[in-house]
Amino acid sequence: EKMQSVSAKIKEIDNENNKIKDEIDALILGIPNIPHVSVPVGKDETSNIVVREWGKKPEFNFSILGHTEIAEKLNLLDFKIGSLISGSGFPVYVDLGAKLERSLINFMLDSHIDNGYRETFPPFMVNRKSMETTGQLPKFLDDMYELPKDELFSIPTAEVPVTNYYRDEVVKEESLPIKFAAYSACFRKEAGSYGKDTKGMMRQHQFYKVELVSIVEPDQCLKELDRMTNCATKILDFLKLPYRKIVLCSGDMGFSAEKTIDIEVWIPSENKYREISSCSSCGSFQARRMKARYKNDKKETVFLGTLNGSGLAVGRTLIAILENYQQEDGSIVVPNVLKPYMNNLDKITKN
């Protein structure tokens, strides 16, 4: 009888311990990464630092249009049908609009593969653990599309499945650095962005991105961040789109980042730059959550360093092309590097 009582007490204590552990884990998972010493200190985007501007902004001698008007006049996008099928924030790409989007994806992937990235095509749905290890959960739960019955989440970026590739693994040091390029659809509720960019394609619930992920030794993270950012800007160099690079301050960085460099492309109709890529070093922050490690030359098992960046956001690249390459007759000149992907088409016209 005493032993039965002890057994029941042990079960009770175990249950209480598990509850306490869950509470502790929830607190720990809510603590963000520590900014690197080189990151400028500030509360918001006003403290970000512009480090480079590239390219000549186009000069127009006619009244220019925004990307929404251009896309509708040239029958590239159908916002009305998208809203009917799914709701706002889900445009349908049509005819040459679909071809241009696909051409951009293929061009970006080919360029990054030439730069030494391995192509991968990840799942678009992941489990809760995958979202926790990269830092999307629990902080950004309200922005996620969840399938509760299946205990799955639609990915907000390919960073999540690709970075988790080495979860619970010990990698051989000689295999580093590991570099992946991945195309995926991305799904975000944009819960904290009510009223922002509701017209057009600037902010969507479903959009497409070519993502870059690097797995490196932790002391190589910042060097790799510069290299990754240059791979992303190279796409804009090829497309001859004006852009600038910005180092984000401590108050404007993402949850998992130790340092972030944003790339912003010129949008003529708004007369300002808009974000098209965000490249971040996460140090060993994500690797600790994932238990992703490697053995160094001293035979010590240490945590890896992880980085991720857009190379690029495809929809925003399409926006920049439509606006920067627009002509007075309403047509769009196809950038030279995209012509092989567009059946050597020179212009997109209404016909």
Side-chain angles (χ1 to χ4, degrees):
E1 286 176 358
K2 280 186 178 181
M3 287 310 297
Q4 285 179 346
S5 173
V6 169
S7 179
K9 187 67 176 175
I10 288 172
K11 191 173 182 180
E12 184 184 322
I13 291 169
D14 281 344
N15 288 338
E16 187 63 27
N17 271 345
N18 288 334
K19 282 172 63 179
I20 293 168
K21 184 183 180 300
D22 289 343
E23 289 174 16
I24 291 170
D25 286 348
L27 288 169
I28 292 171
L29 287 172
I31 299 171
N33 201 351
I34 299 168
H36 190 268
V37 66
S38 63
V39 171
V41 176
K43 289 185 178 180
D44 54 37
E45 60 184 20
T46 57
S47 297
N48 295 343
I49 297 173
V50 177
V51 292
R52 181 191 175 199
E53 287 195 25
W54 183 94
K56 186 182 178 184
K57 297 169 188 171
E59 296 177 2
F60 301 97
N61 56 7
F62 57 91
S63 181
I64 64 171
L65 301 176
H67 71 274
T68 307
E69 296 167 285
I70 295 168
E72 288 179 333
K73 286 191 174 188
L74 295 176
N75 193 36
L76 305 178
L77 290 160
D78 198 319
F79 295 96
K80 192 179 291 183
I81 292 297
S83 293
L84 177 70
I85 297 168
S86 304
S88 63
F90 297 91
V92 175
Y93 291 77
V94 183
D95 299 324
L96 287 177
K99 191 170 185 64
L100 181 57
E101 181 90 350
R102 179 161 54 88
S103 297
L104 281 167
I105 293 164
N106 288 333
F107 163 64
M108 289 176 189
L109 284 172
D110 288 345
S111 298
H112 294 312
I113 291 165
D114 288 344
N115 282 326
Y117 284 90
R118 290 172 59 192
E119 183 177 357
T120 183
F121 191 41
F124 291 178
M125 289 184 284
V126 296
N127 57 34
R128 177 175 286 272
K129 182 66 175 174
S130 294
M131 293 288 256
E132 286 177 349
T133 54
T134 50
Q136 271 70 28
L137 290 180
K139 184 174 174 63
F140 302 108
L141 178 61
D142 289 344
D143 262 331
M144 301 298 139
Y145 284 101
E146 185 178 2
L147 289 77
K149 284 186 179 179
D150 300 298
E151 297 182 345
L152 292 171
F153 291 84
S154 298
I155 62 170
T157 164
E159 168 204 345
V160 179
V162 178
T163 307
N164 272 279
Y165 196 95
Y166 289 103
R167 191 168 86 205
D168 298 322
E169 293 281 339
V170 178
V171 177
K172 291 181 180 178
E173 185 178 20
E174 55 267 30
S175 68
L176 301 174
I178 299 163
K179 297 177 290 184
F180 285 117
Y183 152 74
S184 79
C186 306
F187 305 89
R188 298 181 193 176
K189 288 183 180 177
E190 299 287 3
S193 306
Y194 183 76
K196 292 181 183 177
D197 303 316
T198 51
K199 194 169 188 278
M201 283 178 55
M202 196 60 76
R203 199 177 295 274
Q204 299 296 313
H205 296 309
Q206 177 181 312
F207 58 97
Y208 309 93
K209 201 150 64 93
V210 172
E211 187 77 2
L212 307 177
V213 170
S214 293
I215 313 289
V216 300
E217 294 158 293
D219 61 357
Q220 296 298 306
C221 278
L222 294 192
K223 183 179 177 182
E224 178 64 13
L225 177 61
D226 286 336
R227 193 202 63 80
M228 176 182 280
T229 306
N230 289 336
C231 287
T233 57
K234 195 173 180 182
I235 300 295
L236 295 172
D237 292 336
F238 282 136
L239 292 169
K240 296 184 178 178
L241 291 170
Y243 65 87
R244 66 181 186 180
K245 284 169 65 174
I246 295 173
V247 176
L248 298 194
C249 73
S250 54
D252 199 30
M253 288 198 309
F255 181 83
S256 300
E258 66 170 1
K259 186 171 185 177
T260 298
I261 299 174
D262 271 9
I263 304 163
E264 296 181 340
V265 71
W266 181 250
I267 304 297
S269 69
E270 298 185 17
N271 198 37
K272 65 180 180 181
Y273 291 98
R274 296 295 297 264
E275 181 192 329
I276 197 168
S277 172
S278 193
C279 298
S280 296
S281 166
C282 298
S284 59
F285 181 82
Q286 293 177 325
R288 288 175 187 277
R289 292 176 167 221
M290 289 191 297
K291 296 180 182 172
R293 297 149 292 166
Y294 77 104
K295 282 192 182 294
N296 63 16
D297 53 9
K298 296 176 183 176
K299 304 300 181 186
E300 299 167 327
T301 304
V302 294
F303 290 107
L304 291 160
T306 65
L307 301 95
N308 63 81
S310 309
L312 304 161
V314 184
R316 292 197 175 190
T317 308
L318 187 145
I319 289 172
I321 289 171
L322 294 184
E323 295 208 7
N324 284 277
Y325 279 89
Q326 63 181 298
Q327 305 297 302
E328 190 171 7
D329 63 1
S331 65
I332 303 297
V333 172
V334 177
N336 287 332
V337 291
L338 291 183
K339 286 180 182 178
Y341 299 90
M342 294 283 292
N343 296 336
N344 294 314
L345 188 69
D346 292 319
K347 277 186 177 184
I348 296 173
T349 64
K350 197 168 185 177
N351 296 328

